[in-house]
Amino acid sequence: MNLITVNQEKCIKCGLCVNECPEHILKLKQNGPEEAFSEKCIACGHCVAICPREAIDNIKTPLSKQVSSKKFPKLTQEEAENFLRSRRSIRSYKETPVPKEKLIDLVNIAHYAPSGHNLQNISYFIIDDRKMLDKAVELVIEEFEKNNVSSEFTKPYREEGIDTILRGASSLILAISDSNFPRGRENSIISLSYLELYAPTLGLGSCWAGMFERVAMKEDSQLLKLFNIPLSKKITGAVMVGYPKYIYPRLVDKNPLEFTFVNS
């Protein structure tokens, strides 16, 4: 299969596309880059994205679908640091529902995250139905009680009606992969991290739903049936999303940084 086409008039034979191909499927010949092992292409798009003359195209990552990065402003080092540090795990939410358009924006950003060997294979289930979320919390609590998990979560729920699992968030986003896909968990962690970093730009807060995951990621979990997860799929990550009830006017410090340079 011929994936690559080269515009001979534009190509300057710089070799950047050849050098940057992670699978080494391109070779630089007299007339420019040529395919050597097209079956190994992982559709990363490097060859098309790096070309300074827009001379190369790839069926798997068409030039027409790539966007120029030159027109976007770059964050300064200070801006990037403040942006990353200001993101917090939100555990107190307003009851206000999140518009579906914003939830779609979140998963759209998540699906742009890098993945092992560019295999991707992550899709998303978005739950914003209050009754279904409440039922999910109840199922998790019941599972905890059955297995004698810490009363730190079950007791406040039973005695005070406090949602200790999803914290009252109006939405829950699940990462889903094929049941036999070996990189589902790691790819989901990366993609949902993108989602969490992007959420504050939409005025939203998020938090990893770790206690929920303890039940949701079991093979026989009742949550799979509740959310109508296909038998061929599995839950590989979960993040609660909603409008934060409070704002944080300060950046919190972390434990002292530890690092080591290793030299020969």
Side-chain angles (χ1 to χ4, degrees), residues 196-239:
E196 288 204 282
L197 288 170
Y198 187 62
T201 70
L202 301 177
L204 301 173
S206 65
C207 185
W208 206 275
M211 301 309 296
F212 172 87
E213 283 186 345
R214 291 178 61 172
V215 175
M217 293 173 65
K218 291 184 176 182
E219 290 186 5
D220 60 346
S221 175
Q222 294 184 63
L223 294 167
L224 298 172
K225 183 177 181 180
L226 175 67
F227 299 137
N228 294 314
I229 308 294
L231 294 176
S232 60
K233 302 288 186 178
K234 61 183 177 182
I235 296 173
T236 49
V239 167

Side-chain angles (χ1 to χ4, degrees), residues 17-27 34-38 40-41:
C17 57
V18 175
N19 295 337
E20 275 301 287
C21 178
E23 296 300 307
H24 309 291
I25 74 166
L26 298 177
K27 301 295 180 183
E34 294 182 8
E35 295 175 44
F37 309 101
S38 58
K40 295 175 60 180
C41 178

